[in-house]
Amino acid sequence: MTKPILYDQTSETLQTVLRELGQPAFRVKQLEEGLYQHRYLSFLEFSTLPKSLLENLGENFTLFPLELSKTITSRDKQTQKFLFELHDGSYIESVLMHYEGRHTVCISTQVGCPMGCVFCATGGMGFIRNLTAGEILAQIIFAMRQLEREGMNLTNVVYMGMGEPFLNYDHVMSSIARLTDQKGLNFGARRLTISTVGILPRIHQFTEAKSQVNLALSLHAPNNALRSQLIPSNEFYPLHALIDAAKKYTDYTHRRVLIEYALIDGVNDSLELADELATLLHGMLCLVNLIALNPGSNDTLKGSPREKVEAFRDRLMKRGMQTTIRLKRGIEINAGCGQLATTQKSR
Ligand code: SAH
Ligand code: SF4
């Protein structure tokens, strides 16, 4: 049997574990400091804890649940992709990006993804399993350590890697709880973004939670006929319901929603569709983030050329929509949006 992961434990469960081992209450604080402030990668580093306790923890728990299997760095050195092996032989990827003083890690929430969006390499893998909160958190801790070695600090975390975060809602939210907790990583909620394809009940739940975490909605089409061709789940959660849910989120939180729109040549990039999108989003507190489709799982779909991306942006802006074009990162190392995919090791 595999050992439980220390980063999956809450303060309360750690307290129980240590109490059962006959340890005084202050040991929890020492253990949590080692996990979240010092981010030790080996039990040997926890110098404030007695050796016998460390031995016991080592026998019963996994400290760090990710094994780095490969690092790939882009030619411009601004993007690094990490391939990690998990205890069951699954692999996940996370991507660290540097941009004008910002250091952002893009993390995975599932091994594969069941949603099957036609343009996405992760979707092409199918679904293998959800990650635990500790496996999600460990990707962030790894990025922090990586940056610290070079005298830099992590500034942003985006839940935009492999998988659909809102299909792994509880573990994602527990990871955020520990990420933002003062006793955890003490990282500002406003520096986090969760991207969803639109799991309606979970958008409502997220809104009710009144979190300060940013929400991104992957739209990619302004009408149901087109969106359903690209994103199968649109049949269950149609556009008007998603837009209503996103508006409720902005009403509750006063935070704008990021609308993601990948431009696919000849498919969703006409100026008529830009007009339709502007009408759909009219009156909503949002920022439209355009990106030309990256090579993903489908060879027949191509990213729109730069002129079309700019024309689409200009049309949206003319219609009063705040719009940006996303910087392309790490494409040649398959570290761009929708390019993350791994193969399962057979055991
Ligand atoms: N499952 C979530 C988050 C992971 S995907 C979601 O779908 O939102 C992260 C982002 O990459 C999403 O906006 C997704 O639509 C986008 N994406 C997927 N494949 C892509 C591709 N080939 N090119 C550009 N963006 C892509
Ligand atoms: Fe899953 Fe997001 Fe890829 Fe769709 S775009 S298959 S929801 S990871």
Side-chain angles (χ1 to χ4, degrees):
M1 225 191 72
T2 47
K3 297 183 213 171
I5 297 165
L6 269 184
Y7 282 113
D8 273 330
Q9 312 304 315
T10 59
S11 275
E12 292 71 38
T13 52
L14 287 179
Q15 256 163 36
T16 311
V17 167
L18 292 182
R19 201 182 317 118
E20 280 169 5
L21 291 172
Q23 294 292 327
F26 66 84
R27 293 277 183 234
V28 178
K29 189 164 173 271
Q30 292 176 327
L31 181 57
E32 284 189 321
E33 275 172 8
L35 289 172
Y36 295 108
Q37 285 168 31
H38 303 297
R39 303 185 268 278
Y40 296 140
L41 290 181
S42 142
F43 280 110
L44 297 172
E45 291 178 273
F46 289 77
S47 53
T48 54
L49 296 179
K51 211 160 163 246
S52 57
L53 172 61
L54 292 175
E55 275 166 15
N56 197 308
L57 289 174
E59 278 163 25
N60 293 298
F61 288 94
T62 297
L63 174 57
F64 199 73
L66 311 175
E67 199 178 312
L68 182 67
S69 157
K70 200 173 181 183
T71 305
I72 312 177
T73 307
S74 65
R75 272 192 296 273
D76 66 5
K77 306 256 192 297
Q78 297 305 297
T79 305
Q80 276 172 302
K81 183 164 85 162
F82 306 111
L83 176 70
F84 296 110
E85 184 176 353
L86 308 175
H87 67 82
D88 61 352
S90 298
Y91 287 91
I92 52 162
E93 293 179 322
S94 26
V95 181
L96 185 57
M97 293 162 283
H98 309 279
Y99 179 66
E100 288 185 352
R102 274 190 312 166
H103 307 287
T104 302
V105 68
C106 176
I107 55 167
S108 296
T109 56
Q110 300 182 312
V111 186
C113 179
M115 301 308 286
C117 304
V118 299
F119 43 77
C120 173
T122 310
M125 286 173 66
F127 174 65
I128 296 166
R129 73 167 171 91
N130 280 332
L131 296 185
T132 68
E135 288 168 332
I136 297 171
L137 217 50
Q139 297 170 65
I140 301 167
I141 287 169
F142 183 90
M144 287 176 161
R145 291 201 49 135
Q146 191 78 9
L147 287 165
E148 278 156 13
R149 267 196 262 143
E150 295 170 40
M152 295 181 280
N153 285 317
L154 188 67
T155 56
N156 298 83
V157 176
V158 295
Y159 286 69
M160 290 190 188
M162 292 166 65
E164 168 49 47
F166 278 179
L167 289 182
N168 188 11
Y169 189 83
D170 292 346
H171 291 166
V172 164
M173 294 310 273
S174 314
S175 74
I176 288 175
R178 241 155 309 133
L179 184 54
T180 52
D181 187 355
Q182 281 184 352
K183 284 189 291 172
L185 290 164
N186 200 15
F187 199 85
R190 288 165 181 242
R191 295 192 279 148
L192 312 179
T193 302
I194 297 191
S195 174
T196 180
V197 70
I199 311 297
L200 195 58
R202 297 289 90 77
I203 298 179
H204 289 308
Q205 197 175 347
F206 184 70
T207 300
E208 303 288 340
K210 289 209 167 129
S211 121
Q212 291 296 302
V213 172
N214 299 296
L215 179 67
L217 180 60
S218 299
L219 215 60
H220 307 312
N223 61 60
N224 282 316
L226 182 56
R227 193 167 188 269
S228 293
Q229 281 177 33
L230 302 171
I231 300 175
S233 64
N234 193 66
E235 296 285 346
F236 304 102
Y237 304 125
L239 264 179
H240 67 273
L242 293 180
I243 298 298
D244 285 351
K247 281 188 177 151
K248 193 170 141 205
Y249 165 87
T250 63
D251 288 347
Y252 264 58
T253 60
H254 307 291
R255 301 190 69 73
R256 68 181 180 188
V257 174
L258 191 73
I259 299 290
E260 291 164 287
Y261 197 105
L263 289 159
I264 312 173
D265 198 17
V267 174
N268 64 356
D269 61 352
S270 71
L271 295 182
E272 291 71 34
L273 289 171
D275 281 332
E276 205 177 335
L277 183 63
T279 305
L280 179 75
L281 299 177
H282 181 74
M284 185 165 135
L285 189 61
C286 65
L287 171 71
V288 181
N289 195 223
L290 301 173
I291 181 171
L293 190 84
N294 293 322
S297 62
N298 189 319
D299 290 344
T300 56
L301 301 177
K302 302 265 182 266
S304 306
R306 185 77 200 180
E307 324 75 83
K308 277 194 175 175
V309 176
E310 286 174 0
F312 200 91
R313 176 203 53 196
D314 293 347
R315 179 61 72 97
L316 287 177
M317 290 184 72
K318 219 163 124 194
R319 294 281 307 260
M321 308 298 306
Q322 278 193 40
T323 312
T324 53
I325 297 177
R326 191 180 312 181
L327 205 73
K328 286 250 183 180
R329 273 301 157 84
I331 305 308
E332 92 274 8
I333 59 166
N334 285 340
C337 299
Q339 294 191 297
L340 303 186
T342 55
T343 45
Q344 180 91 345
K345 194 190 243 181
S346 52
R347 284 250 154 134

